[in-house]
Amino acid sequence: AENVNEGSSCMSKVTDIPLILPFDFVNGAGAIVVMPDDERNMLGKPDLRLWAATYMAGYCAFWNVDGCEWLRDSLPDIKNSVTNDVALKTAAHICARIAANIAVGREVKHFPRFYLCKNLE
């Protein structure tokens, strides 16, 4: 995902495999799966991490999803590029589960749906 934020051209050439985009949201983590046929405009966002956090927080607020307050509270830190090692591990855990599910042919949520988890203790 960092290469996507930097405008890497190699990511735009990969269109026939699912992309798993992990995000460190300081107090938790998230991931968006982009399938080959999904809209990929988000990949060109100048700050994909902030865009994803704002998108997910807005989704949670609109649909009154319980347990997302930590993400809304993390937005100022995300805007200031704060990172957290525990959130990075949480993101890795989410991505490992998604990748395993893709590998065995299980259905996974993909954009505009997403995965979100408060930091694992």
Side-chain angles (χ1 to χ4, degrees), residues 1-8 10-11 20-24 43 45-49 83 88:
E2 289 180 34
N3 286 341
V4 173
N5 282 335
E6 295 171 11
S8 173
C10 69
M11 292 300 286
I20 304 171
L21 307 174
F23 300 101
D24 162 354
L43 300 178
K45 300 287 182 189
D47 187 340
L48 187 56
R49 177 182 180 227
T83 61
L88 291 170

mmCIF file of all heavy atoms in Angstrom, residues 1-8 10-11 20-24 43 45-49 83 88:
data_model
loop_
_atom_site.group_PDB
_atom_site.id
_atom_site.type_symbol
_atom_site.label_atom_id
_atom_site.label_comp_id
_atom_site.label_asym_id
_atom_site.label_seq_id
_atom_site.Cartn_x
_atom_site.Cartn_y
_atom_site.Cartn_z
ATOM 1 N N ALA A 1 0.822 -1.196 0.000
ATOM 2 C CA ALA A 1 0.000 0.000 0.000
ATOM 3 C C ALA A 1 0.864 1.257 0.000
ATOM 4 O O ALA A 1 0.466 2.258 -0.541
ATOM 5 C CB ALA A 1 -0.938 -0.004 1.191
ATOM 6 N N GLU A 2 2.032 1.195 0.601
ATOM 7 C CA GLU A 2 2.897 2.367 0.587
ATOM 8 C C GLU A 2 3.302 2.710 -0.834
ATOM 9 O O GLU A 2 3.352 3.865 -1.201
ATOM 10 C CB GLU A 2 4.123 2.126 1.459
ATOM 11 C CG GLU A 2 3.780 2.104 2.942
ATOM 12 C CD GLU A 2 5.004 1.864 3.790
ATOM 13 O OE1 GLU A 2 6.095 2.317 3.428
ATOM 14 O OE2 GLU A 2 4.861 1.212 4.827
ATOM 15 N N ASN A 3 3.595 1.707 -1.663
ATOM 16 C CA ASN A 3 3.952 1.973 -3.056
ATOM 17 C C ASN A 3 2.793 2.591 -3.806
ATOM 18 O O ASN A 3 2.991 3.429 -4.661
ATOM 19 C CB ASN A 3 4.393 0.688 -3.761
ATOM 20 C CG ASN A 3 5.770 0.254 -3.330
ATOM 21 O OD1 ASN A 3 6.534 1.044 -2.799
ATOM 22 N ND2 ASN A 3 6.077 -1.008 -3.524
ATOM 23 N N VAL A 4 1.576 2.180 -3.483
ATOM 24 C CA VAL A 4 0.406 2.774 -4.122
ATOM 25 C C VAL A 4 0.335 4.252 -3.777
ATOM 26 O O VAL A 4 0.087 5.089 -4.629
ATOM 27 C CB VAL A 4 -0.885 2.046 -3.674
ATOM 28 C CG1 VAL A 4 -2.113 2.770 -4.187
ATOM 29 C CG2 VAL A 4 -0.873 0.604 -4.168
ATOM 30 N N ASN A 5 0.599 4.590 -2.512
ATOM 31 C CA ASN A 5 0.569 5.993 -2.101
ATOM 32 C C ASN A 5 1.628 6.807 -2.829
ATOM 33 O O ASN A 5 1.467 7.988 -3.055
ATOM 34 C CB ASN A 5 0.789 6.121 -0.597
ATOM 35 C CG ASN A 5 -0.451 5.793 0.183
ATOM 36 O OD1 ASN A 5 -1.551 5.916 -0.331
ATOM 37 N ND2 ASN A 5 -0.280 5.372 1.422
ATOM 38 N N GLU A 6 2.732 6.183 -3.185
ATOM 39 C CA GLU A 6 3.811 6.895 -3.852
ATOM 40 C C GLU A 6 3.628 6.911 -5.363
ATOM 41 O O GLU A 6 4.482 7.370 -6.098
ATOM 42 C CB GLU A 6 5.153 6.250 -3.494
ATOM 43 C CG GLU A 6 5.486 6.392 -2.023
ATOM 44 C CD GLU A 6 6.693 5.560 -1.628
ATOM 45 O OE1 GLU A 6 7.390 5.037 -2.511
ATOM 46 O OE2 GLU A 6 6.929 5.442 -0.427
ATOM 47 N N GLY A 7 2.520 6.380 -5.856
ATOM 48 C CA GLY A 7 2.253 6.407 -7.282
ATOM 49 C C GLY A 7 3.049 5.376 -8.062
ATOM 50 O O GLY A 7 3.390 5.594 -9.212
ATOM 51 N N SER A 8 3.342 4.242 -7.451
ATOM 52 C CA SER A 8 4.121 3.199 -8.121
ATOM 53 C C SER A 8 3.411 2.716 -9.377
ATOM 54 O O SER A 8 2.236 2.382 -9.351
ATOM 55 C CB SER A 8 4.328 2.032 -7.159
ATOM 56 O OG SER A 8 4.930 0.951 -7.825
ATOM 57 N N CYS A 10 4.120 -0.033 -10.963
ATOM 58 C CA CYS A 10 4.004 -1.491 -11.016
ATOM 59 C C CYS A 10 2.643 -1.940 -10.497
ATOM 60 O O CYS A 10 2.097 -2.931 -10.971
ATOM 61 C CB CYS A 10 5.130 -2.166 -10.240
ATOM 62 S SG CYS A 10 5.058 -1.958 -8.457
ATOM 63 N N MET A 11 2.064 -1.236 -9.533
ATOM 64 C CA MET A 11 0.762 -1.622 -8.998
ATOM 65 C C MET A 11 -0.342 -1.432 -10.028
ATOM 66 O O MET A 11 -1.287 -2.196 -10.067
ATOM 67 C CB MET A 11 0.423 -0.820 -7.739
ATOM 68 C CG MET A 11 1.307 -1.142 -6.547
ATOM 69 S SD MET A 11 1.210 -2.859 -6.049
ATOM 70 C CE MET A 11 -0.375 -2.872 -5.267
ATOM 71 N N ILE A 20 -4.635 -6.678 -1.831
ATOM 72 C CA ILE A 20 -5.004 -6.493 -0.429
ATOM 73 C C ILE A 20 -4.256 -5.256 0.047
ATOM 74 O O ILE A 20 -3.027 -5.242 0.062
ATOM 75 C CB ILE A 20 -4.640 -7.714 0.428
ATOM 76 C CG1 ILE A 20 -5.291 -8.988 -0.131
ATOM 77 C CG2 ILE A 20 -5.075 -7.478 1.878
ATOM 78 C CD1 ILE A 20 -4.803 -10.263 0.548
ATOM 79 N N LEU A 21 -4.998 -4.237 0.409
ATOM 80 C CA LEU A 21 -4.409 -2.971 0.847
ATOM 81 C C LEU A 21 -4.532 -2.863 2.366
ATOM 82 O O LEU A 21 -5.628 -2.641 2.884
ATOM 83 C CB LEU A 21 -5.128 -1.800 0.181
ATOM 84 C CG LEU A 21 -5.221 -1.858 -1.345
ATOM 85 C CD1 LEU A 21 -6.087 -0.720 -1.854
ATOM 86 C CD2 LEU A 21 -3.839 -1.803 -1.964
ATOM 87 N N PRO A 22 -3.431 -3.024 3.108
ATOM 88 C CA PRO A 22 -3.475 -2.928 4.574
ATOM 89 C C PRO A 22 -3.294 -1.484 5.034
ATOM 90 O O PRO A 22 -2.603 -0.704 4.381
ATOM 91 C CB PRO A 22 -2.281 -3.777 4.999
ATOM 92 C CG PRO A 22 -1.302 -3.619 3.878
ATOM 93 C CD PRO A 22 -2.127 -3.458 2.613
ATOM 94 N N PHE A 23 -3.908 -1.169 6.162
ATOM 95 C CA PHE A 23 -3.806 0.183 6.701
ATOM 96 C C PHE A 23 -3.572 0.159 8.204
ATOM 97 O O PHE A 23 -4.300 -0.501 8.937
ATOM 98 C CB PHE A 23 -5.084 0.985 6.414
ATOM 99 C CG PHE A 23 -5.377 1.117 4.959
ATOM 100 C CD1 PHE A 23 -6.331 0.320 4.358
ATOM 101 C CD2 PHE A 23 -4.678 2.022 4.168
ATOM 102 C CE1 PHE A 23 -6.615 0.428 3.006
ATOM 103 C CE2 PHE A 23 -4.933 2.135 2.807
ATOM 104 C CZ PHE A 23 -5.910 1.340 2.237
ATOM 105 N N ASP A 24 -2.578 0.912 8.646
ATOM 106 C CA ASP A 24 -2.306 1.163 10.056
ATOM 107 C C ASP A 24 -3.143 2.379 10.439
ATOM 108 O O ASP A 24 -2.884 3.481 9.953
ATOM 109 C CB ASP A 24 -0.799 1.441 10.228
ATOM 110 C CG ASP A 24 -0.433 2.132 11.526
ATOM 111 O OD1 ASP A 24 -1.324 2.524 12.311
ATOM 112 O OD2 ASP A 24 0.765 2.302 11.764
ATOM 113 N N LEU A 43 -6.794 3.774 -6.024
ATOM 114 C CA LEU A 43 -5.350 3.543 -6.003
ATOM 115 C C LEU A 43 -4.553 4.791 -6.353
ATOM 116 O O LEU A 43 -3.381 4.899 -6.010
ATOM 117 C CB LEU A 43 -4.973 2.398 -6.943
ATOM 118 C CG LEU A 43 -5.618 1.052 -6.617
ATOM 119 C CD1 LEU A 43 -5.215 0.018 -7.650
ATOM 120 C CD2 LEU A 43 -5.254 0.591 -5.220
ATOM 121 N N LYS A 45 -5.300 7.816 -5.208
ATOM 122 C CA LYS A 45 -5.492 8.849 -4.186
ATOM 123 C C LYS A 45 -4.127 9.293 -3.648
ATOM 124 O O LYS A 45 -3.248 8.466 -3.412
ATOM 125 C CB LYS A 45 -6.340 8.325 -3.025
ATOM 126 C CG LYS A 45 -7.735 7.875 -3.425
ATOM 127 C CD LYS A 45 -8.620 9.033 -3.735
ATOM 128 C CE LYS A 45 -10.018 8.541 -4.081
ATOM 129 N NZ LYS A 45 -10.866 9.578 -4.576
ATOM 130 N N PRO A 46 -3.936 10.600 -3.421
ATOM 131 C CA PRO A 46 -2.643 11.082 -2.941
ATOM 132 C C PRO A 46 -2.292 10.578 -1.543
ATOM 133 O O PRO A 46 -1.132 10.372 -1.230
ATOM 134 C CB PRO A 46 -2.780 12.604 -2.955
ATOM 135 C CG PRO A 46 -4.222 12.879 -3.109
ATOM 136 C CD PRO A 46 -4.876 11.665 -3.688
ATOM 137 N N ASP A 47 -3.262 10.369 -0.668
ATOM 138 C CA ASP A 47 -3.014 9.806 0.667
ATOM 139 C C ASP A 47 -4.049 8.709 0.876
ATOM 140 O O ASP A 47 -5.105 8.929 1.462
ATOM 141 C CB ASP A 47 -3.122 10.885 1.737
ATOM 142 C CG ASP A 47 -2.694 10.378 3.117
ATOM 143 O OD1 ASP A 47 -2.672 9.148 3.329
ATOM 144 O OD2 ASP A 47 -2.400 11.211 3.982
ATOM 145 N N LEU A 48 -3.729 7.532 0.388
ATOM 146 C CA LEU A 48 -4.676 6.417 0.411
ATOM 147 C C LEU A 48 -5.048 6.025 1.833
ATOM 148 O O LEU A 48 -6.193 5.688 2.117
ATOM 149 C CB LEU A 48 -4.103 5.216 -0.348
ATOM 150 C CG LEU A 48 -5.030 4.028 -0.561
ATOM 151 C CD1 LEU A 48 -6.315 4.448 -1.275
ATOM 152 C CD2 LEU A 48 -4.315 2.938 -1.340
ATOM 153 N N ARG A 49 -4.110 6.091 2.757
ATOM 154 C CA ARG A 49 -4.381 5.738 4.153
ATOM 155 C C ARG A 49 -5.439 6.676 4.752
ATOM 156 O O ARG A 49 -6.404 6.221 5.351
ATOM 157 C CB ARG A 49 -3.081 5.808 4.949
ATOM 158 C CG ARG A 49 -3.242 5.524 6.422
ATOM 159 C CD ARG A 49 -1.896 5.665 7.120
ATOM 160 N NE ARG A 49 -1.985 5.395 8.534
ATOM 161 C CZ ARG A 49 -1.440 6.173 9.462
ATOM 162 N NH1 ARG A 49 -0.737 7.237 9.117
ATOM 163 N NH2 ARG A 49 -1.557 5.864 10.733
ATOM 164 N N THR A 83 2.027 6.511 13.254
ATOM 165 C CA THR A 83 1.897 5.072 13.037
ATOM 166 C C THR A 83 2.041 4.349 14.373
ATOM 167 O O THR A 83 2.434 4.952 15.374
ATOM 168 C CB THR A 83 2.954 4.538 12.051
ATOM 169 O OG1 THR A 83 4.247 4.780 12.575
ATOM 170 C CG2 THR A 83 2.808 5.199 10.698
ATOM 171 N N LEU A 88 0.285 -2.078 12.953
ATOM 172 C CA LEU A 88 0.911 -2.752 11.812
ATOM 173 C C LEU A 88 0.772 -4.269 11.932
ATOM 174 O O LEU A 88 0.484 -4.957 10.952
ATOM 175 C CB LEU A 88 2.385 -2.365 11.707
ATOM 176 C CG LEU A 88 2.668 -0.917 11.307
ATOM 177 C CD1 LEU A 88 4.146 -0.596 11.469
ATOM 178 C CD2 LEU A 88 2.210 -0.664 9.882
#
